[in-house]
Amino acid sequence: MTLSAVPASLRLPPWRALLLRPAGLTGTIIVAIVTVAALAAPLIATHDPIAVDLSRKLLPPGATHWLGTDQTGRDIFSRIVWGARPSLAVGLLAVLIGAAGGIMFGLTAAFARGWWEQVAMRIMDGLASIPLLIWAIAITGIVGIGPVRIGMWTFPNESKLILLIGLLYMPPLARVTYGSALLEVRADYVQARRLQGAGASAIMLGDVLPNCLSPVIVQATLLIAVGIVVEASLSFIGLGVEPPFPSWGGMLADARRYIFSGEWWTYIFPGLAISLTVIGFNLLGDGLRDILDPRKVSGSGRMVV
Amino acid sequence: MFVILGRVLSSLGVLVAVSIVLFTLVHAIPVSPARVVLGGDASEEDIAEFERDNGLDRPVIVQYLSWAGGVMKGDLGRSLIDNTVIAVTISQTLPVTLELVLWSFCLALVIAVPLGVLSAYHEDRWIDHLARVVATLGVSIPTFWLGLMLIAWGAVGLGWFPAGGYVPWSAGAKPHLLSMTLPSVSLGLYYVAIISRMTRSSVGDVLMADHVRVSRAMGLSRGRILIYVLRNALSPVVTVAAMSFGYMFGWALIVEQVFTIPGMSRALLNAIFRRDYLVIVNVVLVITAMFLVANLIADLLYRWLDPRTAR
């Protein structure tokens, strides 16, 4: 990169710069489609996703059943549309928990320094040394498969996943917050705000946090993709979303025996739904990184799972 | 030396903390393991007798310490459901999982490192774009769906590979390797993506360094420069690779389910569906230990390859 040319991304508002890049545009479109599908599932789905009709089982894609039917005659298109809900719920809620905790630890560690910095970052190191997938399996295994009842509320089985993934998302998000907050805390404007008499929490949340958010947003977008893959994988082995409720991973678990008998629509479409959704969030995350954090090579610096 | 000792001790500390959390979780559930094993219609006396026989009526701390003492001596206890020795179950299934992980790991390295180096050398050329597409697909396609598609293509379509199952070495090298090919590819692709991007970014950084420009100006051969570049760029790649090795054990469980390979996943999932909690705890602990060892090796390799970080 030459120094004389100011990158286009610095002159445009970020969302314009994002949509001008093919990767960013593709990612945004895919994420928008999946979000609309999840929110408006009852309006978009053409059939009841759990209505069994054995007389219509394993129909190939056609006019009434756009993507065919599964082994109990359920409409695959409708199940894919409804299946967007648990996928996005796990992906988004886990990242929200992780971001809330990660920002809290990262920001206060950079701000307070001293013993709290040590304690907070050592807690994050400890959490980072726990392998996500094994523990997602272990938690459901130990607590047991089934809904969680707390008082008058009943939470679905995948809420255990959301809590665990959210907890393990804290370290990467805390580290990026901490890294950029350390630089910001030394900046002149923070000193100026102190002299104005602003309180520590006002400076932290009102001034420093907005300046640290770019890398957090990039990382969070990429982590949504990870959460969706983990949810689908656990639903596939029967530890995630419980049947008969539709989930992409669960649909593939039902469909695996049809690989041998040729009903390709049962295992192609749910897999495409997962892969395209995850590609969408990854492209969006990489696109955001190119704009907000242009020094990084796109695709590097991911949380590995 | 003290640094290394400190890292070993902190890994052990995490392992102890993990085992305490696991044990606490098991005992935080209101339902007694005895109730789970004996079923809903067992009488209170049966439950009490079962708990007494298996030492479940002792305080949790005593149970933990007696189990931890056994683990030190290599005795992981017995399954509460069928009384099998857990150490035997693990010693039968771990080698299978380990072999799958090793193949995938080698495959990932052999593809990812050259791909990353080539794309860094030819920035914004077709190989770089190809590598980027491979990386995006690799991190996006879930391993289990990739496995299903590989079965549909390589086993059902072409008939070159078995659709699943595990053929031991004793049945011949060729059938054995054929049975491991598709699982290794499905497990490895994600890590090809991760490691190739790391290589690309690390080699790209070193290529911009002054010493590379000087070497070029001095007229050193491309191969000679490549060696210098690799030596400087390799330490973050080695770290990511070693960590990937630890993470692979998790995904190996999913891949084993797709290809019905009798590794750790069979032991773990059987235990989960039967609520055989002592087996769950031990299997999870063994895999977490594998993961921590991989992380420890990653850390030590990083210090050894890049002495600047040791300070």
Side-chain angles (χ1 to χ4, degrees):
Chain A
M1 206 193 328
T2 55
L3 290 174
S4 56
V6 178
S9 57
L10 293 181
R11 284 183 267 116
L12 292 168
W15 61 271
R16 287 280 310 274
L18 180 70
L19 296 184
L20 280 176
R21 288 154 186 270
L25 182 65
T26 318
T28 311
I29 291 174
I30 294 175
V31 169
I33 291 175
V34 179
T35 313
V36 168
L39 290 176
L43 303 175
I44 296 172
T46 51
H47 294 75
D48 182 342
I50 51 177
V52 171
D53 181 358
L54 289 176
S55 68
R56 312 183 67 83
K57 69 175 183 180
L58 293 173
L59 293 178
T64 28
H65 297 286
W66 297 344
L67 303 182
T69 60
D70 70 1
Q71 76 282 5
T72 55
R74 296 173 295 192
D75 181 58
I76 289 181
F77 172 73
S78 306
R79 285 177 70 74
I80 287 179
V81 170
W82 279 91
R85 283 194 169 186
S87 285
L88 281 196
V90 173
L92 287 174
L93 291 176
V95 161
L96 280 182
I97 295 174
I103 289 174
M104 200 267 287
F105 277 105
L107 206 54
T108 52
F111 226 76
R113 311 302 300 266
W115 67 272
W116 171 246
E117 183 184 29
Q118 289 301 317
V119 172
M121 296 324 278
R122 288 297 85 73
I123 294 177
M124 292 298 110
D125 286 349
L127 282 180
S129 53
I130 290 175
L132 194 154
L133 195 70
I134 291 298
W135 274 70
I137 295 175
I139 289 293
T140 1
I142 292 171
V143 181
I145 309 160
V148 186
R149 287 190 186 79
I150 298 171
M152 54 182 285
W153 291 289
T154 305
F155 299 97
N157 184 44
E158 58 268 27
S159 49
K160 295 161 211 159
L161 293 183
I162 295 175
L163 283 181
L164 179 87
I165 301 173
L167 189 70
L168 297 187
Y169 275 0
M170 285 179 194
L173 293 169
R175 281 181 194 149
V176 288
T177 315
Y178 175 72
S180 39
L182 268 188
L183 298 175
E184 296 293 332
V185 167
R186 294 199 207 103
D188 289 340
Y189 73 92
V190 173
Q191 202 58 40
R193 291 284 288 143
R194 281 217 177 94
L195 293 173
Q196 284 176 354
S201 55
I203 299 177
M204 211 154 59
L205 298 174
D207 301 303
V208 174
L209 179 59
N211 287 318
C212 302
L213 276 184
S214 301
V216 178
I217 292 171
V218 172
Q219 195 72 29
T221 312
L222 296 171
L223 288 178
I224 294 175
V226 174
I228 291 173
V229 174
V230 172
E231 182 275 318
S233 305
L234 286 210
S235 296
F236 176 74
I237 57 172
L239 299 178
V241 177
E242 289 183 280
F245 298 109
S247 68
W248 298 336
M251 293 175 76
L252 286 169
D254 290 340
R256 55 189 295 186
R257 60 191 137 127
Y258 299 109
I259 290 176
F260 302 98
S261 50
E263 284 85 359
W264 53 271
W265 57 92
T266 55
Y267 58 87
I268 296 279
F269 294 124
L272 280 179
I274 308 170
S275 302
L276 286 176
T277 306
V278 177
I279 287 174
F281 278 102
N282 278 321
L283 289 177
L284 184 62
D286 282 341
L288 286 170
R289 187 200 309 271
D290 288 346
I291 293 158
L292 300 172
D293 202 0
R295 284 157 302 157
K296 293 271 175 63
V297 174
S298 65
S300 71
R302 271 170 212 283
M303 177 189 182
V304 189
V305 288
Chain B
M1 194 60 217
F2 284 112
V3 184
I4 297 173
L5 199 66
R7 277 293 284 117
V8 174
L9 284 179
S10 82
S11 297
L12 278 176
V14 171
L15 199 60
V16 170
V18 160
S19 68
I20 292 175
V21 170
L22 276 173
F23 229 77
T24 317
L25 267 174
V26 167
H27 290 274
I29 303 165
V31 185
S32 159
R35 171 67 73 194
V36 175
V37 175
L38 298 176
D41 47 344
S43 68
E44 289 300 320
E45 293 86 66
D46 290 343
I47 300 271
E49 193 193 335
F50 184 88
E51 290 192 335
R52 206 165 340 104
D53 290 348
N54 290 287
L56 294 171
D57 55 343
R58 296 171 297 170
V60 177
I61 298 179
V62 177
Q63 288 187 45
Y64 174 76
L65 288 178
S66 87
W67 169 75
V71 171
M72 302 281 182
K73 290 180 284 184
D75 171 20
L76 303 177
R78 284 167 176 275
S79 155
L80 289 178
I81 306 243
D82 53 15
N83 211 29
T84 48
V85 179
I86 297 172
V88 171
T89 311
I90 289 179
S91 66
Q92 283 167 351
T93 52
L94 182 60
V96 178
T97 305
L98 195 62
E99 192 198 340
L100 172 61
V101 168
L102 275 173
W103 281 121
S104 308
F105 183 68
C106 296
L107 191 76
L109 280 186
V110 165
I111 298 173
V113 174
L115 190 65
V117 172
L118 279 175
S119 55
Y121 261 80
H122 304 279
E123 201 179 330
D124 276 329
R125 305 277 286 280
W126 67 268
I127 182 88
D128 191 23
H129 295 303
L130 177 77
R132 191 183 285 230
V133 171
V134 168
T136 306
L137 290 180
V139 293
S140 302
I141 298 179
T143 47
F144 69 95
W145 190 54
L146 180 63
L148 294 177
M149 299 309 288
L150 286 175
I151 294 176
W153 168 80
V156 179
L158 297 173
W160 292 351
F161 304 98
Y166 175 77
V167 184
W169 276 110
S170 54
K174 196 182 169 208
H176 173 77
L177 291 178
L178 282 178
S179 78
M180 293 306 277
T181 308
L182 297 184
S184 309
V185 173
S186 10
L187 180 55
L189 182 69
Y190 174 82
Y191 296 96
V192 169
I194 297 287
I195 298 171
S196 71
R197 291 322 278 173
M198 196 56 180
T199 314
R200 157 83 170 80
S201 125
S202 177
V203 172
D205 285 350
V206 175
L207 281 178
M208 286 198 287
D210 289 337
H211 68 86
V212 176
R213 209 176 313 154
V214 171
S215 311
R216 280 195 184 130
M218 285 168 65
L220 291 189
S221 70
R222 294 196 67 160
R224 189 103 213 125
I225 298 177
L226 178 65
I227 291 173
Y228 289 139
V229 168
L230 283 183
R231 192 182 286 169
N232 281 287
L234 224 49
S235 60
V237 178
V238 169
T239 312
V240 164
M243 285 180 69
S244 298
F245 185 78
Y247 284 109
M248 278 182 172
F249 283 90
W251 294 104
L253 298 186
I254 309 273
V255 171
E256 286 173 6
Q257 282 300 302
V258 176
F259 290 93
T260 55
I261 294 171
M264 298 278 270
S265 80
R266 183 166 293 180
L268 182 59
L269 286 178
N270 276 345
I272 287 176
F273 288 114
R274 297 196 301 183
R275 305 295 312 275
D276 196 347
Y277 83 96
L278 207 53
V279 177
I280 304 177
V281 167
N282 282 299
V283 171
V284 170
L285 203 68
V286 167
I287 297 179
T288 310
M290 292 284 170
F291 177 80
L292 289 173
V293 169
N295 271 0
L296 185 65
I297 292 172
D299 204 57
L300 298 182
L301 277 176
Y302 190 71
R303 284 170 198 284
W304 180 62
L305 286 170
D306 195 351
R308 281 170 297 179
T309 56
R311 270 185 269 137

